[in-house]
Amino acid sequence: MDCIFCKIVAGTIPAKKIREDDELVAFFDIDPKAPTHILVIPKKHIASLAQAEAGDAPLLGHLLEAAADIAREQGLAQGYRVVISTGPHGGQTVDHLHVHLLGGRQMHWPPG
């Protein structure tokens, strides 16, 4: 498979991982958009949120639960943003579902 995130899951591309379990991997983004920018990805390849199925609901919940837990560990008590970009118009650049955890600075609205 040519998916960069699947290669990170497989260990063939290095990443600065901060969490890994049977279902997900979390690592620091190599092109951060905030002082804290962490990606939380499922080990299962799902191209985007639009391709997630009803059976993926527990996995999707686990990704968000992990993001909230990592935010606490990273000291983001003043707040953070969780983003799931979907499709080209949504700004998705890697065709593997991923959650952006952004924090460490004031976030602005609208985001972009």
Side-chain angles (χ1 to χ4, degrees):
M1 183 169 276
D2 199 34
C3 173
I4 190 168
F5 287 170
C6 287
K7 290 177 181 179
I8 289 172
V9 168
T12 58
I13 292 179
K16 189 175 175 186
K17 296 179 184 177
I18 60 169
R19 178 168 300 185
E20 183 169 9
D21 65 24
D22 291 342
E23 297 181 292
L24 64 79
V25 176
F27 53 93
F28 288 96
D29 195 304
I30 62 169
D31 185 24
K33 305 302 182 204
T36 300
H37 189 168
I38 295 165
L39 300 177
V40 184
I41 67 169
K43 288 185 172 182
K44 174 184 177 183
H45 182 85
I46 302 170
S48 74
L49 189 58
Q51 278 72 45
E53 300 173 350
D56 295 320
L59 176 58
L60 298 175
H62 185 53
L63 293 173
L64 293 178
E65 178 185 38
D69 191 43
I70 293 166
R72 285 187 289 276
E73 291 172 359
Q74 294 292 311
L76 301 177
Q78 294 208 35
Y80 53 91
R81 182 168 286 165
V82 174
V83 177
I84 300 174
S85 300
T86 304
H89 283 201
Q92 185 177 4
T93 58
V94 176
D95 289 331
H96 186 118
L97 175 67
H98 53 288
V99 175
H100 295 264
L101 171 61
L102 301 149
R105 68 168 169 81
Q106 176 68 50
M107 299 292 154
H108 302 282
W109 195 261

